[in-house]
Amino acid sequence: MLSKWLTTVEENGVRVETVIEKTELVEGDILNGSVYITPLTEDEDDKIDYISLKVLCKHANGELTVIGKHSFQVVGTIRSKDAEIMPFEIMPDERWVCGVDERLIFQTTVIFLDGTEVEEVGYISCANMERNIYIL
């Protein structure tokens, strides 16, 4: 089992990495991690408006329902050579336990000031209030 989970979005000269710290959650645990924002160029147009993190339930009929979310507002340009780190926590509840034909999706969406949206997803599996997180 993976000890950490990572998604990476690279666009407009910026790399956004989402790391989930604990891949096996049990009842009472919190889904936590960090978002790392690293500039890849010195261009002033590399601006992020905000970053959205969502936990979605994909039902058997294909419908998606948001069951957890967190977002970050990013102000100004990213000019540091080091990554900016933004920790997050999302509290699971009973909606995170899926039926046989349902899936949980963890989605990172980066929205740039120019209107560009880029997203990356991974899957979360849940059974009887035990949550194992992994990329498929």
Side-chain angles (χ1 to χ4, degrees):
M1 187 57 62
L2 299 172
S3 61
K4 289 192 178 192
W5 183 70
L6 172 72
T7 63
T8 302
V9 171
E10 287 189 23
E11 186 77 22
N12 289 346
V14 178
R15 177 183 300 125
V16 177
E17 298 173 301
T18 304
V19 177
I20 294 176
E21 296 298 328
K22 187 175 179 184
T23 61
E24 295 182 20
L25 299 176
V26 295
E27 189 170 357
D29 281 349
I30 296 173
L31 176 65
N32 65 356
S34 298
V35 174
Y36 297 83
I37 303 171
T38 307
L40 301 175
T41 69
E42 297 293 324
D43 189 349
E44 289 187 21
D45 292 332
D46 302 336
K47 297 179 181 178
I48 296 173
D49 187 10
Y50 66 96
I51 298 169
S52 171
L53 306 175
K54 292 181 182 175
V55 178
L56 307 159
C57 180
K58 183 175 183 179
H59 302 281
N61 63 4
E63 182 181 328
L64 295 173
T65 304
V66 176
I67 59 173
K69 62 184 177 178
H70 190 81
S71 63
F72 306 101
Q73 185 76 35
V74 181
V75 180
T77 60
I78 302 167
R79 296 183 182 208
S80 172
K81 290 185 179 182
D82 298 324
E84 184 175 348
I85 302 169
M86 306 171 105
F88 67 87
E89 293 183 342
I90 302 174
M91 178 63 87
D93 61 27
E94 67 279 350
R95 297 174 297 165
W96 288 43
V97 178
C98 286
V100 174
D101 295 327
E102 296 178 326
R103 307 265 335 248
L104 291 183
I105 299 171
F106 185 87
Q107 177 185 67
T108 300
T109 305
V110 182
I111 297 86
F112 293 89
L113 290 174
D114 67 2
T116 304
E117 291 188 19
V118 181
E119 70 181 41
E120 180 75 21
V121 299
Y123 295 95
I124 302 170
S125 71
C126 300
N128 298 329
M129 293 303 287
E130 291 185 2
R131 299 164 191 90
N132 298 318
I133 299 170
Y134 55 93
I135 292 180
L136 297 177

